[in-house]
C-alpha cells in the first residue's frame, strides 16, 4: 500500500515514483526531453505560398476531371440503360445502368490497396499521375463502345470492363489528392486549402451535368440515344492530358520528402512511426484499425448523402416526378454552383472553429432536414424543388468543405496515402456507389418516394456518432510530421514558445 501511495500517473510516465522525481529532478527532466525533444528551426516546414497554390490547383483540377468522368455516367444513366440494356421495363433498364455504375465501386478498394501503399512508397505525385492516365483511358474507351443493337451482349460486357478500369483508377484518387493538399498546406490553413479539392469535385460534376444538359437540349433524346451520348465520354481524353501535365510538373509533398530526412526530430512516438516499413497493408490493418473503422463510418455517411444528391437526384426527378432529364439537371447545376461559391468559406470556418463542429452541423442538418426537403421536392414546383435541394446542399457543403482536411489527419504520414485510400474506398464501395441502386430498389419495393430521405437520415445518424468519436485536428501538425507554418515569423514563434523560461 505504501508503494502505491508513492506512485502516481504523471507527465513523466504512466506510473512514476513521486519520491524518485523529487530526489532526481534533473534526471527526470532529461527523460522528458528525450521523449519529447524541443523543436529546432530546421524541424519546422515553412511553406511556399506559390508552391502550395500550384499543388492545390493540380490536385483539384485533376480531381475535377476524375469526377467529370464519373459524373457523366451518372447523368447519362437513363440513356445508357436504353443503349446497353434495351430489353425489359424502364425500371429494369435503370437498375441495370445503376448496377453497372456500382460495379466500378466494387474494385475501388482494390485500387486503393494497390495505389495507396504505392503512394506511400514511391511518392504522391507519380501515383496521382498514373490514376489520371487510367481514368482518362477508361472514360474515353466507353465512348467508342458499339451499342447493344450492333454487337449484342459484348456491348454491356465492354461497358462493365471499362467501368472496372475507371473504378480501379479512382481507388487511388481521393486518398492521394487529399493527402497531397494536406501535406502541402500550413497547419492553420489546411481546412481552407483542402476545401479546394471538393471544389474540384463540384466543378467536375457541374461540368458533366452542364454538358449533358446542353447536349440533351440541343440534340434531343433520340439523337442522344443514337450517338450524342458518346460526346461527353470522348471529351475526357484531352481533359485527362491536362490533368496529367499539371500533376507531373509538381515536386512531391514536403511531408513525404521529410520522411527521407533522418535529421528531422519530432516526438519519440512520431519517430517510431516513421521508421516502420511504409506501404505495409498488413500493418495498416493491424496497427491503425481504430482510425480505419472510424474513417469507414464517417465516409459511409458522407458518401451516401453525397451520391444521393449529386448523382441520384436528377434521375429521381425524371423517373419518380416526371421531370424532363434536362430540367432536373439544370436545377442540380444551379445548386452546385451555389455550393461552389461558399465551400471555401466552410473550409475557413473549419480552421477557425474546428473540424468537428462543422462536420456535426452537416450530419445533423441531413438528419433533421432530409424529410422536409423531400416533401418540398415531391411538391413538384420549381421553387419547391429548388428549396428542397438547397436544404440538402447546405448540409452537404459542411461535409464537402471539411472532410478533405479531417480525413488525412487521422493517419500518420508514412501510411497516410495507403490508410486513407483503403478506408475511403472500402466505404465508398459499400455505401457510396450503391446509393442510386439501393434507393431505386427501395422505391420499387416499398412504393414510397420518401425512401431517399429515410436512407439519408439513417446515414446521417451513423455520421453523428462517427463525428462524436473523431479527434479534433484543426490547426495541429499532421501525425508523424513536424509542424508546417506559412511564414518564418510563425516558425520563430513556435521555437521560442518551447524555449525554457529563464529563472532569476
Amino acid at each position: 500500500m505504501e508503494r502505491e501511495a508513492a506512485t502516481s500517473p504523471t507527465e513523466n510516465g504512466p506510473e512514476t515514483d513521486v519520491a524518485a522525481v523529487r530526489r532526481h529532478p534533473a534526471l527526470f527532466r532529461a527523460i522528458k526531453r528525450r521523449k519529447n525533444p524541443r523543436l529546432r528551426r530546421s524541424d519546422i516546414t515553412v511553406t511556399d505560398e506559390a508552391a502550395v497554390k500550384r499543388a492545390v490547383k493540380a490536385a483539384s483540377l485533376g480531381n475535377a476531371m476524375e469526377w467529370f468522368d464519373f459524373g457523366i455516367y451518372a447523368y447519362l444513366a437513363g440513356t445508357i440503360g436504353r443503349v446497353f440494356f434495351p430489353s425489359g421495363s424502364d425500371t429494369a433498364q435503370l437498375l441495370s445502368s445503376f448496377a453497372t455504375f456500382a460495379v466500378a465501386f466494387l474494385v475501388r478498394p482494390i485500387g486503393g490497396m494497390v495505389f495507396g501503399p504505392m503512394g506511400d512508397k514511391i511518392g504522391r505525385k507519380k501515383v496521382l499521375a498514373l490514376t489520371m492516365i487510367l481514368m482518362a483511358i477508361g472514360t474515353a474507351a466507353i465512348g467508342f463502345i458499339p451499342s447493344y443493337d450492333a454487337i449484342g451482349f459484348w456491348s454491356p460486357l465492354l461497358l462493365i470492363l471499362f467501368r472496372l478500369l475507371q473504378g480501379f483508377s479512382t481507388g487511388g484518387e481521393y486518398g492521394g489528392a487529399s493527402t497531397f493538399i494536406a501535406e502541402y498546406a500550413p497547419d492553420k490553413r489546411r481546412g481552407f486549402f483542402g476545401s479546394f479539392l471538393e471544389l474540384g469535385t463540384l466543378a467536375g460534376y457541374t461540368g458533366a451535368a452542364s454538358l449533358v444538359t446542353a447536349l440533351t437540349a440541343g440534340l434531343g433524346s433520340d439523337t442522344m440515344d443514337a450517338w450524342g451520348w458518346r460526346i461527353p465520354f470522348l471529351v475526357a481524353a484531352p481533359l485527362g492530358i491536362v490533368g496529367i501535365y499539371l500533376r507531373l510538373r509538381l515536386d512531391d509533398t514536403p511531408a513525404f520528402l521529410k520522411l527521407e530526412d533522418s535529421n528531422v526530430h519530432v516526438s519519440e512516438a512520431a519517430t517510431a512511426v516513421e521508421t516502420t516499413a511504409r506501404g505495409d497493408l498488413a500493418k495498416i490493418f493491424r496497427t491503425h484499425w481504430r482510425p480505419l473503422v472510424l474513417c469507414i463510418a464517417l465516409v459511409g455517411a458522407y458518401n451516401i448523402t453525397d451520391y444521393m444528391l449529386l448523382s441520384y437526384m436528377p434521375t429521381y426527378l425524371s423517373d419518380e416526378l416526371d421531370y424532363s432529364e434536362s430540367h432536373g439537371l439544370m436545377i442540380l447545376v444551379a445548386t452546385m454552383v451555389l455550393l461552389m461559391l461558399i465551400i471555401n468559406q466552410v473550409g475557413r470556418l473549419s480552421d477557425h472553429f474546428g473540424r468537428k463542429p462543422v462536420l456535426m452541423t452537416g450530419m445533423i442538418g441531413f438528419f433533421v432536414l432530409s424529410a422536409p426537403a423531400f416533401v418540398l421536392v415531391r411538391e413538384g414546383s420549381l421553387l419547391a424543388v429548388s428549396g428542397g435541394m438547397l436544404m440538402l446542399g447546405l448540409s452537404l457543403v459542411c461535409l464537402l468543405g471539411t472532410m478533405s482536411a479531417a480525413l488525412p489527419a487521422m493517419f500518420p504520414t508514412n501510411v497516410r496515402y495507403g490508410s486513407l485510400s483503403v478506408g475511403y474506398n472500402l466505404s465508398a464501395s459499400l455505401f457510396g456507389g450503391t446509393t442510386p441502386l439501393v434507393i431505386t430498389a427501395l422505391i420499387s419495393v416499398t412504393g414510397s418516394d420518401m425512401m431517399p430521405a429515410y436512407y439519408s437520415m439513417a446515414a446521417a445518424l451513423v455520421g453523428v456518432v462517427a463525428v462524436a468519436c473523431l479527434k479534433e485536428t484543426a490547426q495541429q501538425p499532421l501525425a508523424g510530421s513536424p509542424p508546417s507554418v506559412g511564414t518564418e515569423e510563425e516558425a520563430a514563434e513556435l521555437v521560442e514558445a518551447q524555449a525554457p523560461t529563464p529563472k532569476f
Side-chain angles (χ1 to χ4, degrees):
M1 296 293 291
E2 290 180 3
R3 178 64 180 167
E4 291 178 7
T7 61
S8 66
T10 73
E11 61 184 357
N12 297 298
E15 194 78 11
T16 303
D17 191 322
V18 176
V21 174
R22 290 171 180 164
R23 288 195 304 271
H24 307 287
L27 174 63
F28 279 92
R29 281 198 298 272
I31 292 172
K32 181 182 176 183
R33 284 196 299 271
R34 177 71 181 87
K35 289 183 175 180
N36 297 285
R38 293 193 187 103
L39 285 168
R40 301 175 305 183
R41 170 59 193 83
S42 58
D43 297 335
I44 301 171
T45 300
V46 179
T47 60
D48 177 1
E49 181 84 5
V52 173
K53 289 180 179 178
R54 286 196 302 271
V56 169
K57 180 171 69 173
S60 301
L61 286 177
N63 197 56
M65 291 164 194
E66 290 268 6
W67 293 108
F68 172 83
D69 296 351
F70 243 63
I72 287 168
Y73 189 96
Y75 301 138
L76 286 171
T79 301
I80 287 171
R82 293 188 293 273
V83 172
F84 290 95
F85 308 98
S87 60
S89 65
D90 290 343
T91 300
Q93 288 179 341
L94 192 60
L95 283 170
S96 297
S97 180
F98 278 139
T100 311
F101 180 79
V103 158
F105 286 80
L106 297 179
V107 295
R108 278 183 64 166
I110 300 174
M113 291 177 189
V114 171
F115 292 121
M118 190 187 299
D120 287 326
K121 188 171 295 184
I122 67 173
R124 287 39 169 145
K125 79 163 190 174
K126 294 176 183 176
V127 177
L128 282 172
L130 178 58
T131 62
M132 189 83 254
I133 292 169
L134 294 178
M135 174 59 87
I137 291 172
T139 306
I142 291 176
F144 288 107
I145 300 174
S147 67
Y148 186 92
D149 291 339
I151 60 172
F153 80 96
W154 289 104
S155 181
L157 193 64
L158 287 171
L159 177 65
I160 291 170
L161 175 65
F162 291 123
R163 285 291 295 163
L164 290 173
L165 180 60
Q166 281 187 319
F168 182 71
S169 66
T170 307
E173 174 61 27
Y174 184 89
S178 58
T179 293
F180 200 78
I181 292 178
E183 291 180 352
Y184 254 106
D187 297 332
K188 292 184 179 180
R189 303 182 69 194
R190 188 170 295 118
F192 171 68
F193 285 118
S195 66
F196 281 91
L197 183 66
E198 295 296 359
L199 177 65
T201 300
L202 288 172
Y205 273 125
T206 302
S210 300
L211 181 56
V212 171
T213 302
L215 287 171
T216 303
L219 299 177
S221 296
D222 291 341
T223 306
M224 283 295 290
D225 287 359
W227 55 267
W229 65 271
R230 299 181 186 277
I231 296 174
F233 289 102
L234 297 177
V235 167
L239 291 179
I241 293 171
V242 173
I244 294 162
Y245 171 74
L246 288 172
R247 287 182 170 182
L248 287 176
R249 287 183 65 230
L250 294 172
D251 293 327
D252 227 314
T253 68
F256 177 80
L257 294 175
K258 282 203 171 186
L259 282 178
E260 308 296 325
D261 184 356
S262 59
N263 294 321
V264 174
H265 296 282
V266 286
S267 71
E268 185 174 72
T271 303
V273 166
E274 292 189 3
T275 57
T276 60
R278 288 177 295 166
D280 185 352
L281 270 178
K283 193 169 186 67
I284 288 172
F285 284 104
R286 185 173 62 251
T287 308
H288 304 286
W289 65 268
R290 287 183 179 87
L292 203 60
V293 170
L294 184 58
C295 177
I296 289 171
L298 199 59
V299 172
Y302 157 58
N303 267 263
I304 286 173
T305 53
D306 185 12
Y307 283 100
M308 184 274 295
L309 179 61
L310 300 185
S311 294
Y312 174 73
M313 187 59 78
T315 303
Y316 178 82
L317 291 174
S318 61
D319 278 44
E320 307 301 330
L321 303 181
D322 297 324
Y323 262 63
S324 69
E325 291 180 1
S326 58
H327 196 176
L329 280 172
M330 287 172 65
I331 298 174
L332 179 61
V333 167
T335 303
M336 290 193 292
V337 168
L338 178 61
L339 300 188
M340 290 169 66
L341 294 175
I342 63 176
I343 190 169
N344 296 135
Q345 301 310 313
V346 174
R348 288 184 193 273
L349 288 176
S350 78
D351 283 330
H352 183 73
F353 294 106
R355 317 289 184 229
K356 292 183 67 171
V358 181
L359 288 172
M360 189 64 80
T361 299
M363 294 298 183
I364 292 175
F366 267 110
F367 184 74
V368 173
L369 298 177
S370 287
F374 270 89
V375 168
L376 278 175
V377 169
R378 289 174 65 207
E379 196 274 329
S381 69
L382 177 62
L383 186 61
V385 172
S386 301
M389 291 180 68
L390 182 60
M391 290 166 66
L392 297 172
L394 291 176
S395 300
L396 180 62
V397 79
C398 293
L399 309 182
L400 290 172
T402 311
M403 203 69 76
S404 51
L407 293 176
M410 296 174 68
F411 304 100
T413 302
N414 67 308
V415 293
R416 179 170 298 120
Y417 196 155
S419 300
L420 182 51
S421 294
V422 169
Y424 187 92
N425 289 294
L426 277 174
S427 190
S429 176
L430 292 171
F431 306 109
T434 59
T435 295
L437 178 65
V438 170
I439 293 176
T440 302
L442 287 174
I443 292 174
S444 179
V445 170
T446 63
S448 171
D449 291 342
M450 288 295 290
M451 290 312 299
Y454 302 146
Y455 196 51
S456 297
M457 291 169 67
L461 194 57
V462 173
V464 167
V465 176
V467 173
C469 298
L470 189 67
K471 179 183 177 183
E472 183 58 72
T473 56
Q475 300 197 21
Q476 298 176 19
L478 292 168
S481 290
S484 176
V485 297
T487 63
E488 291 284 353
E489 289 75 14
E490 286 183 78
E493 288 173 7
L494 272 179
V495 174
E496 186 178 347
Q498 291 203 345
T501 304
K503 294 182 179 179
F504 298 100

